[in-house]
Amino acid sequence: MISRPKFMIDSQRISNRIRLNNALNYLFSLSTVFSILVLGVLLYQVGLDSMGWLDGQFLTSNLSIFPEKAGIYGAIIGTILMMLIVIPVTIILGVSTAIYLEEYAQKGRLQYLINVNISNLASVPSVIFGLLGLTVFGRLMNLGSSILAGGLTMSLLVLPIVVVAAQEAIRAVPDFLREASYAMGADKWTTVRKVILPVAIPGILTGTILAMSRAIGETAPLVVLGIPTLIMRIPTSVMDDFTVLPIQIYYWTLDAVLKPEYANLAAATIVVLLVILFLMNSVAVIIRNKFQQRF
Amino acid sequence: MEDTQVRDKIRNNSAQKKHISDKVMPNFFLLMASLSVLTTLGIVIILVTDASKFFSAVPLTEVFSTELAPLRKDPSFGILPLISGTIITTLIAMLVAVPVGLAAAIYLSQFASDKLRRVFKPMMEVLAGIPTIVYGFFAYSFVTPLLMKIIPSLQAKNALSPGLVMGIMIIPMVASLSEDAMNSVPEIIREGSLGLGATKLETAFKVIIPGAISGIMASIVLALSRAIGETMIVTIASGSSKNFTLDITQSMQTMTAYIVEFTSGDAGSGTLGYYSLYAVGLILFIFTLGINLLAQYISRKYREVY
């Protein structure tokens, strides 16, 4: 009989190590599955609560004291009007800032300062933007809780997202394109406008859409701005008071203590909000995949 | 070096036939870029001026007391209940988010196959993109009733349920940032460890995590700041009682929820209650700014490693 080689004596230890490895592999995978599972439960619960409440009437009617007749038409219009301010303001501010930082700024103090400032701004809690909006737009500029005040507040909140995305997109434009443009005798602005921006647009667009979906879902700054509880009148201009989908969800969730039906209304509004966000994100992914240029 | 010289020459050449746009545009872009700095300055100025009106009117002994009743006829402004509420909900959130998030990060970066990773990662991104108001609704209408079956003494508004849900909300952030940090540990090191006969688990704990520790720490610190600044979940699900207590089954108020509650109520401009908003806002801003700077410092150190 051949004697077992000495190193095989440790086989017990090795199998223990492997067993531990497998056990924790299982545990870690459970952790991952857990977070996905929560997403499933959340969607299922919201879907269940909204059952029977989400219909054409809900989308096209205004608020009502009777839950059965209440709808989110006002909130949809309010969301659209607010985005009509947020979109141009953030694109102009965000893309300009990115162009300045990437193309014009000299490497130095100022560029560093603006960059650090933007990354810090990105992590300032959104309620604080609400206080900024309340003070500057609401009181100092006398815009109250109008669509204009809300839109401007939201624009500042999501600005860092657009700037960072646009910076990355512009940085990804290869240098030889710039050099080719200069070699043809083009000046800097022409190069930016005709060479860099067209190449960077898919990246900028993707980032902008993500920023917009953040703006559509954000609640706290608008509540701080003092968006009123009940808007019975549909807003027609940017100076009107307004409400948006998340605010509607907020008040209906609070009201659910009084009448359980309000929870159903909140859930139905959540479904609408999530569908909008899902569609926006899909568009962002499609743009990213379709226009991704490789050099 | 050479190509910058060429570019400089080209630039100088084209400077001779400069258009007006080349003089206007840089200044325009600089103006737009400085608006973001102005936003930060605006935040600081507003918070400091209005908070100083509060601090000059309320003695510090009262500020650091445990009684908060801003709307009473004889109001008192102790902020300790808000600070304790914030710390407790944040702590609960971190107890959920850090272990689960790190476990998910280790699983995704070390154990999962490419195929599984491609399924899980986008799902986590979806989780991260859900508005916080939706999580607030979820905490109030699903998690709280569920917890009530387990803990009968739980109040309808409490600190536990929003804390747990906030933790779930932050999991994707911890997971994806930590996973990025783990993935940036060079593959050679990982293969070296596996080649020596270490199991994947041993490689993860003895090689990858020590190598990625700064990135992981930064992700945790960022998550902390996110939890402190989170507003809608706590506003909806933890109520508005200004309790100075450690009992997580009770209703509590956080700094963010106080700001929301007080502005949506009718705090007349110019009253002490109105200025207390800015005082709380200033404290919140200092908290989160400090934590963010710490996170940036940690991750800057980390970049030097490889």
Side-chain angles (χ1 to χ4, degrees), chain A residues 191-211:
Chain A
T191 307
V192 168
R193 195 164 40 110
K194 296 207 165 148
V195 178
I196 297 171
L197 280 183
V199 178
I201 267 180
I204 294 174
L205 221 53
T206 313
T208 308
I209 294 173
L210 293 180

Side-chain angles (χ1 to χ4, degrees), chain A residues 2-20:
Chain A
I2 309 157
S3 65
R4 296 169 73 153
K6 229 178 184 175
F7 61 83
M8 289 288 280
I9 292 167
D10 269 356
S11 68
Q12 184 61 40
R13 225 185 107 204
I14 292 175
S15 69
N16 278 345
R17 284 168 58 203
I18 292 173
R19 214 171 288 141
L20 185 69

Side-chain angles (χ1 to χ4, degrees), chain B residues 226-237:
Chain B
R226 181 85 183 275
I228 290 176
E230 207 299 309
T231 312
M232 293 324 287
I233 301 176
V234 281
T235 303
I236 287 183

Side-chain angles (χ1 to χ4, degrees), chain A residues 134-181:
Chain A
L134 174 71
T135 320
V136 174
F137 304 127
R139 293 183 199 269
L140 291 178
M141 294 188 182
N142 239 335
L143 298 174
S145 50
S146 63
I147 295 177
L148 189 57
L152 291 176
T153 306
M154 231 30 139
S155 301
L156 293 182
L157 176 72
V158 299
L159 182 62
I161 306 176
V162 179
V163 174
V164 171
Q167 268 183 294
E168 271 166 18
I170 291 172
R171 214 175 296 146
V173 178
D175 265 346
F176 64 75
L177 287 183
R178 292 181 181 86
E179 276 150 17
S181 173

Side-chain angles (χ1 to χ4, degrees), chain A residues 50-292:
Chain A
S50 70
M51 210 69 107
W53 291 83
L54 186 60
D55 49 22
Q57 180 262 332
F58 179 71
L59 292 175
T60 54
S61 46
N62 209 354
L63 283 181
S64 159
I65 46 167
F66 307 106
E68 299 75 25
K69 287 185 182 166
I72 51 169
Y73 184 65
I76 291 176
I77 299 293
T79 301
I80 293 172
L81 288 176
M82 189 183 78
M83 296 320 285
L84 286 182
I85 293 179
V86 179
I87 292 170
V89 172
T90 43
I91 288 184
I92 292 171
L93 277 180
V95 177
S96 300
T97 305
I99 292 174
Y100 176 76
L101 289 173
E102 293 300 314
E103 296 295 324
Y104 286 95
Q106 303 215 306
K107 295 249 176 297
R109 264 238 176 97
L110 186 63
Q111 190 206 26
Y112 177 76
L113 176 81
I114 298 176
N115 264 324
V116 167
N117 175 63
I118 283 164
S119 62
N120 277 323
L121 211 54
S123 45
V124 170
S126 59
V127 258
I128 295 198
F129 279 94
L131 285 177
L132 177 77
L134 174 71
T135 320
V136 174
F137 304 127
R139 293 183 199 269
L140 291 178
M141 294 188 182
N142 239 335
L143 298 174
S145 50
S146 63
I147 295 177
L148 189 57
L152 291 176
T153 306
M154 231 30 139
S155 301
L156 293 182
L157 176 72
V158 299
L159 182 62
I161 306 176
V162 179
V163 174
V164 171
Q167 268 183 294
E168 271 166 18
I170 291 172
R171 214 175 296 146
V173 178
D175 265 346
F176 64 75
L177 287 183
R178 292 181 181 86
E179 276 150 17
S181 173
Y182 290 132
M184 299 290 282
D187 59 21
K188 186 135 204 171
W189 170 232
T190 312
T191 307
V192 168
R193 195 164 40 110
K194 296 207 165 148
V195 178
I196 297 171
L197 280 183
V199 178
I201 267 180
I204 294 174
L205 221 53
T206 313
T208 308
I209 294 173
L210 293 180
M212 293 311 119
S213 62
R214 172 88 193 277
I216 287 180
E218 201 39 86
T219 324
L222 293 182
V223 180
V224 174
L225 200 61
I227 304 300
T229 320
L230 281 172
I231 292 290
M232 301 304 265
R233 210 162 51 90
I234 301 297
T236 50
S237 88
V238 290
M239 295 310 293
D240 285 347
D241 281 351
F242 73 117
T243 191
V244 292
L245 295 168
I247 301 268
Q248 207 58 70
I249 298 168
Y250 171 54
Y251 286 118
W252 274 335
T253 308
L254 290 184
D255 288 345
V257 186
L258 312 171
K259 255 190 192 171
E261 287 92 337
Y262 284 119
N264 300 98
L265 290 174
T269 315
I270 288 175
V271 172
V272 173
L273 180 64
L274 290 182
V275 167
I276 293 173
L277 295 182
F278 178 73
L279 288 178
M280 287 176 72
N281 282 312
S282 313
V283 171
V285 170
I286 290 170
I287 292 175
R288 192 166 57 192
N289 293 344
K290 190 162 183 182
F291 294 97
Q292 212 164 38

Side-chain angles (χ1 to χ4, degrees), chain B residues 14-281:
Chain B
S14 61
Q16 289 161 4
K17 43 173 182 170
K18 230 174 193 176
H19 289 286
I20 181 98
S21 64
D22 244 21
K23 290 196 185 95
V24 175
M25 293 323 282
N27 292 318
F28 170 74
F29 290 135
L30 175 61
L31 183 75
M32 293 292 125
S34 54
L35 272 173
S36 77
V37 181
L38 226 76
T39 307
T40 310
L41 279 180
I43 290 175
V44 173
I45 292 171
I46 286 162
L47 290 179
V48 169
T49 39
D50 281 349
S52 66
K53 284 174 192 153
F54 173 79
F55 285 115
S56 64
V58 182
L60 272 184
T61 48
E62 189 182 326
V63 173
F64 288 101
S65 73
T66 58
E67 197 189 12
L68 179 61
L71 290 174
R72 212 169 49 189
K73 213 172 172 197
D74 167 35
S76 69
F77 293 102
I79 52 163
L80 288 186
L82 299 181
I83 293 190
S84 72
T86 305
I87 291 176
I88 287 168
T89 48
T90 301
L91 213 64
I92 298 171
M94 297 307 282
L95 285 176
V96 174
V98 172
V100 179
L102 286 186
I106 296 172
Y107 177 73
L108 288 177
S109 80
Q110 304 301 314
F111 291 102
S113 64
D114 270 355
K115 216 172 171 185
L116 274 176
R117 194 177 304 142
R118 270 201 291 274
V119 177
F120 281 141
K121 276 208 94 170
M123 282 179 137
M124 286 233 173
E125 275 167 29
V126 173
L127 207 59
I130 290 179
T132 57
I133 183 76
V134 176
Y135 281 109
F137 175 82
F138 183 64
Y140 178 71
S141 69
F142 180 74
V143 178
T144 301
L146 191 73
L147 289 172
M148 274 173 160
K149 284 181 190 144
I150 306 165
I151 313 167
S153 67
L154 195 74
Q155 294 184 353
K157 304 261 178 164
N158 59 76
L160 181 61
S161 151
L164 292 177
V165 172
M166 214 151 81
I168 289 168
M169 181 194 80
I170 305 172
I171 289 174
M173 187 181 179
V174 177
S176 87
L177 290 178
S178 300
E179 201 219 341
D180 288 346
M182 291 178 195
N183 281 339
S184 62
V185 174
E187 190 68 9
I188 296 175
I189 296 182
R190 205 167 78 100
E191 280 164 7
S193 167
L194 292 174
L196 285 170
T199 62
K200 281 182 175 177
L201 180 74
E202 288 156 354
T203 306
F205 273 93
K206 292 185 178 156
V207 177
I208 304 290
I209 291 179
I213 193 71
S214 329
I216 295 170
M217 291 297 290
S219 83
I220 293 173
V221 174
L222 275 181
L224 188 71
S225 145
R226 181 85 183 275
I228 290 176
E230 207 299 309
T231 312
M232 293 324 287
I233 301 176
V234 281
T235 303
I236 287 183
S238 70
S240 57
S241 313
K242 290 130 184 83
N243 284 330
F244 185 66
T245 171
L246 293 176
D247 184 358
I248 54 172
T249 63
Q250 298 256 319
S251 166
M252 284 180 200
Q253 193 164 45
T254 63
M255 293 191 276
T256 51
Y258 175 79
I259 296 175
V260 166
E261 186 214 357
F262 219 84
T263 43
S264 43
D266 274 322
S269 175
T271 62
L272 214 48
Y274 173 74
Y275 291 127
S276 75
L277 285 179
Y278 293 84
V280 173

